[in-house]
Amino acid sequence: MRTPGILIFGMVMAPCGWILSLVTTVAPNWRTLHGITGVPADRVYEEGIFDVCIAATSTERQNCAVTDTAYTSNNIIEISQGLMLASLIVNLVGIAFAIPGVRCWKDQPRWALCTVAGILIFCAGVLTLIPVSWYTHIFKDISTDIARTDTRVGYCLVLGFIGGIFEVLGGIVMTLGCCRCCGGRNRGERPIEDVLGPRSQPKREPRRVDVPSLSRPRSSAASEVPGESFVTQRSCRKLQCSSPCRTCYLRHSLSQA
C-alpha cells in the first residue's frame, strides 16, 4: 500500500519546521538596533535570545559575545529560551513517533502512533509561535543598556513564524488519520470498485417472467375423430340427422364401416 498523502505532508512539514525553529533559536537576530550613540553609523546591534552581536554592514563582520545585562534579564528572554528549546525537543519526539508509525516499508501504517506524532508536532508549533508572537508584539519595549534611535524586527522572527506554522499544519494534517471518514479517503484508501473497475462486479442473470399460455388444450374426444374439423352444418343436413352434428357424423362413419 502506498503511503497516504496526509502522512507524507506531515513528514515533510515537521522537519522543515524544526530546522526553521532551530535557526530562530540559535541566530542572534530577533531584533536589530540602529543609530547607536557613540558608534559608527554602519554598526548595528543584533540581539537574539541567547546572544548579542555587533555587525558592520559595510564589511559584513560580526563580533558576538557582547554583554547586555539589561536585555538578558528581561522575563520574555528567559521564557522564550525555555519555550523554544521545548519546541525543538517535542518536535523531535513527534518525528520519532511518526517514523515507525508511517512505516513506508509495510502495507498498513500504524495510525495510533501517527496520531500521537501529529499531536506532538502540533504542540511544538504552538510552543514556537508563542514566544515569537510575544516578542514581535513588544520588541520595541524590551529594555537594553544600548542607547539607540531605531529598533527593527530581525529575520529570526520571520523564520520563527514560518517554522511554527509548518509544524502546526503538519501536526493537524497528520492527526486527521485518527479516524476513518469519507469512505477511508482521508487515509488514502480507495473503494474496490474504483480500483478494479465495474468489470469485476458479478453479472446479474436476466429476470425470468412466466407468461401464462393462451392456447387451449384440445379434448381427447376431438382428437380421436379424424377430419372432424371439416364437418360442417351443411354435411349434417345432407345426412338428415336430427341429433347433434357430431353424433350424426359418428353414426354415419360407423354405418359405412
Side-chain angles (χ1 to χ4, degrees), residues 20-192:
L20 293 174
S21 298
L22 178 63
V23 175
T24 302
T25 304
V26 175
N29 201 301
W30 284 54
R31 72 174 184 176
T32 58
L33 307 179
H34 299 264
I36 302 168
T37 306
V39 176
D42 64 337
R43 298 294 179 89
V44 177
Y45 271 78
E46 297 178 348
E47 296 179 334
I49 58 175
F50 283 101
D51 201 359
V52 178
C53 299
I54 301 176
T57 57
S58 58
T59 59
E60 298 183 356
R61 293 181 179 179
Q62 279 187 335
N63 181 19
C64 297
V66 177
T67 303
D68 190 348
T69 306
Y71 175 76
T72 56
S73 61
N74 287 283
N75 291 331
I76 187 174
I77 303 301
E78 298 177 356
I79 295 174
S80 297
Q81 291 174 354
L83 291 177
M84 293 301 296
L85 292 177
S87 172
L88 295 174
I89 296 173
V90 172
N91 195 347
L92 286 178
V93 175
I95 294 174
F97 273 94
I99 292 174
V102 172
R103 295 199 310 174
C104 302
W105 59 93
K106 297 291 184 179
D107 293 336
Q108 295 291 339
R110 302 176 66 178
W111 291 105
L113 286 178
C114 292
T115 302
V116 175
I119 294 173
L120 292 175
I121 294 171
F122 172 81
C123 293
V126 174
L127 291 174
T128 299
L129 292 175
I130 289 175
V132 171
S133 301
W134 186 13
Y135 194 100
T136 304
H137 182 66
I138 62 172
F139 76 97
K140 290 185 177 181
D141 300 329
I142 300 175
S143 60
T144 179
D145 293 333
I146 304 171
R148 80 280 185 189
T149 59
D150 187 15
T151 305
R152 302 177 185 177
V153 174
Y155 65 84
C156 287
L157 296 179
V158 179
L159 297 180
F161 276 114
I162 298 174
I165 292 172
F166 278 6
E167 293 171 345
V168 169
L169 291 178
I172 291 175
V173 173
M174 188 173 288
T175 310
L176 292 178
C178 62
C179 60
R180 181 181 287 104
C181 60
C182 301
R185 295 184 184 276
N186 64 319
R187 293 185 173 185
E189 300 174 357
R190 298 171 60 188
I192 190 172

